[in-house]
Amino acid sequence: MPSAPQLTARPAGRPLTGTVRAPGDKSISHRSMIFGAMATGVTEVEGLLEGDDILATARAAEAFGATVERLGEGRWRVTGQGGLKTPASVIDCGNAGTGVRLLMGAAAGYPVTATFDGDASLRKRPMKRVTGPLTEMGARFDWAAEEDRLPVTVQGGDLKGIDYLQTVASAQIKSAILLAGLNASGETVITEPEKSRDHTERMLRAFGAEVGVEPVGEGWKITLNGGQALTGTTVSVPGDPSSAAFPLAAGLIVPGSSVTVEGVMLNPLRTGLFDTWIEMGADLTIANERESGGERIGDVTARHSALKGIVVPESRAASMIDEYPILAATAAFAEGATVMRGVGEMRVKESDRISLMVNGLRACGVRVEEEAEGFIVAGGPVKGGATVATAHDHRIAMSHLVLGLAAEQPVSVLDPEMIATSFPGFVEMMSRLGAEIAG
C-alpha cells in the first residue's frame, strides 16, 4: 500500500475487466487467531487476511501465551495452550474494533489481568456495549482515562452465565459474551430480536464446542453451556464480501465493465449488499457455489448496469452495516433516490461514516440528505473533482476512490494508508482490472 498522503482515482477511459480473488474475510481471520489461542493444540489457517487489524490480533494471541507462526502468504499456525495467560504488556489492538471486543470477552473468562489499548480512532469507539454484559457475568473493568473508552484493564475469571437480551444487532457483542461464556459457570443465553452475523457460532462448533441456536421471531436464541474446551482445527478463510464489494462496485458503475471476484463468502447474513444491488437492477451473477470451512462461497460477477434508487429495508442493516459507504457511492450513479435508514450504528464505526460519506459525496457534486439515523442519496451526474477527508477510515477512502473511477473528474482521498487495515493490495488489485489509482 503506498504511503502517499493522498491517493487519486481518475475516470476510467475504458471498461474494467478481469478476474481477481478477494482478500480473506476479516471476521473469520480475527476469530481464527483468537479461537486458536484459546484452544488446546494446533490451528492451521489458510487464506488469512494479512491486514494491520488482523496482525494486531495475531500479536495479541501471542501475548496471551499462544505460539503464532507465519508459514507463508496467508498461511499461519497457532498453537494454543488451552487457555489465555496474563500478558506481560499492554495489548495494543491498533484500529481493530472487532479484535479488541472479542479479545476482551475471551480474556474475561480466564483468571488473567490484561490492559487493552488502541490507536486514536479506536480510543474514540464505545466499549461499554461489551464490558456491560461482561460485568454482569462477573468480570471487572478499570477505565484508565474516560469511562467507555480505551484504555481499559480487565480482571477476568470466576464468571457466571447470563440470560442476555441484545437490543443492538451486533456480532461483536454477541461474540464477546459467548467467548466469556465458554469459561463461565452455568448456561449463557443470548436472545437477538434481529439476527447478526453467526461466524462465532459456526466457528465454535468447528473448534469442538456445542452451541444451540433456535429461531425466535425474526431473530434467534443462542445457548452455550460453560466449561467447554476448544480443540485446534483447520480454518480455511473465505473471501471477504465486504472487500469484494469494491471491485464489484467499480464493475457496476464504469461503462462496459465486467469484473469477477472469486471465492467470495455467501453467508446469507453477509450478502445484504448483493441483494440490495440486485433490487436496484444490478447485473450481478454468482457461479461455482460450493462449501468451504462451513461457509458457502462462490464467484461473483458484476457487469455495468443501469441502477435505480430504492428504499433499502432497515432490517437489512445488520447484514451489511460495513457496506453502506460503498452502497452510497454506487447509489450516486443510480436513477432516483436511494434511501438508507436505520443505520445509526455507522456513526460509531472507525469514524462517523454517515457524515463523512455525506460530506464526501456533496464535495463530488452529489445531492445527499443527512438524517440522524441514515441518509438519502439522489442519483445523477457525479462531477468529482474533490479531495475527500477520510478521518483515517479505510472504507470511506476506498468508497470514494471507486466513485472517482466513474465520475466526470478525478477524486482524491486523504490519509489512504489506513486502507491496509482491511484490504492490503487494494490499489494493485484495482490496477489489474484497469483502474487508474495512484498517489
Side-chain angles (χ1 to χ4, degrees):
M1 181 66 219
S3 58
Q6 67 180 50
L7 282 174
T8 300
R10 301 188 179 282
R14 56 191 174 88
L16 304 183
T17 58
T19 299
V20 294
R21 179 166 289 274
D25 183 75
K26 195 174 181 183
S27 298
I28 301 294
S29 294
H30 275 303
R31 286 162 174 79
S32 69
M33 292 290 108
I34 297 169
F35 289 29
M38 297 173 70
T40 298
V42 175
T43 296
E44 301 278 359
V45 184
E46 295 279 350
L48 187 85
L49 171 65
E50 294 180 337
D52 292 349
D53 283 5
I54 307 303
L55 297 180
T57 296
R59 289 191 294 271
E62 197 163 40
F64 276 113
T67 300
V68 181
E69 307 166 85
R70 185 179 188 271
L71 307 179
E73 185 175 351
R75 294 178 52 242
W76 291 66
R77 177 183 293 139
V78 182
T79 305
Q81 305 302 317
L84 305 184
K85 299 178 180 178
T86 294
S89 59
V90 172
I91 301 296
D92 183 355
C93 292
N95 191 242
T98 298
V100 71
R101 288 174 175 143
L102 269 60
L103 282 164
M104 283 195 289
Y110 297 97
V112 303
T113 300
T115 300
F116 294 92
D117 202 356
D119 65 11
S121 173
L122 193 59
R123 282 187 168 194
K124 295 177 182 177
R125 299 181 68 177
M127 294 295 151
K128 288 193 78 172
R129 53 180 55 191
V130 168
T131 64
L134 295 178
T135 299
E136 289 183 41
M137 298 176 78
R140 297 165 299 287
F141 292 90
D142 180 25
W143 305 96
E146 180 184 353
E147 191 168 330
D148 196 27
R149 299 292 188 271
L150 298 180
V152 65
T153 298
V154 59
Q155 295 180 51
D158 196 25
L159 302 189
K160 293 180 173 58
I162 58 172
D163 192 332
Y164 187 74
L165 175 62
Q166 185 157 291
T167 57
V168 177
S170 168
Q172 292 180 2
I173 300 172
K174 174 176 64 176
S175 299
I177 297 170
L178 290 174
L179 293 183
L182 278 173
N183 294 295
S185 63
E187 186 178 67
T188 294
V189 179
I190 303 170
T191 302
E192 288 191 303
E194 185 178 336
K195 295 177 181 178
S196 69
R197 299 176 181 182
D198 63 349
H199 303 311
T200 293
E201 296 93 309
R202 290 171 180 261
M203 192 174 286
L204 281 173
R205 295 189 190 102
F207 276 80
E210 293 185 5
V211 185
V213 178
E214 59 181 281
V216 177
E218 295 298 315
W220 46 29
K221 182 171 75 172
I222 303 102
T223 304
L224 177 79
N225 287 318
Q228 298 193 61
L230 302 182
T231 303
T233 188
T234 299
V235 178
S236 179
V237 182
D240 192 334
S242 299
S243 296
F246 296 103
L248 292 172
L252 292 177
I253 63 176
V254 175
S257 296
S258 179
V259 171
T260 298
V261 184
E262 295 179 324
V264 180
M265 180 199 291
L266 299 175
N267 183 310
L269 295 172
R270 295 291 299 280
T271 56
L273 175 64
F274 299 163
D275 296 336
T276 301
W277 274 341
I278 290 170
E279 290 172 11
M280 295 173 72
D283 184 351
L284 198 74
T285 56
I286 297 172
N288 193 22
E289 288 193 56
R290 55 209 186 271
E291 288 280 341
S292 176
E295 295 282 0
R296 196 74 177 157
I297 66 172
D299 304 334
V300 185
T301 299
R303 300 174 184 84
H304 178 245
S305 304
L307 301 176
K308 295 186 180 297
I310 65 167
V311 176
V312 183
E314 293 187 27
S315 60
R316 199 170 284 166
S319 71
M320 55 179 286
I321 194 66
D322 288 333
E323 285 80 71
Y324 278 91
I326 190 60
L327 172 60
T330 54
F333 297 90
E335 178 186 342
T338 299
V339 180
M340 293 164 278
R341 293 190 170 116
V343 293
E345 184 73 7
M346 288 178 68
R347 294 198 185 274
V348 291
K349 287 288 186 176
E350 283 83 337
S351 67
D352 181 342
R353 286 180 172 166
I354 292 177
S355 288
L356 283 173
M357 283 308 301
V358 167
N359 293 339
L361 291 174
R362 283 176 177 165
C364 292
V366 180
R367 290 178 295 129
V368 189
E369 180 181 341
E370 182 173 358
E371 299 179 348
E373 298 289 320
F375 54 126
I376 302 170
V377 177
V382 181
K383 295 179 181 178
T387 297
V388 176
T390 65
H392 299 275
D393 190 314
H394 48 118
R395 298 196 193 280
I396 299 299
M398 289 186 283
S399 296
H400 283 95
L401 289 171
V402 169
L403 180 96
L405 298 175
E408 295 173 7
Q409 301 175 46
V411 174
S412 299
V413 300
L414 299 174
D415 305 314
E417 69 278 358
M418 291 303 291
I419 292 174
T421 64
S422 68
F423 202 152
F426 167 75
V427 172
E428 294 78 3
M429 177 185 289
M430 298 302 295
S431 296
R432 289 199 301 274
L433 295 171
E436 185 179 347
I437 302 176

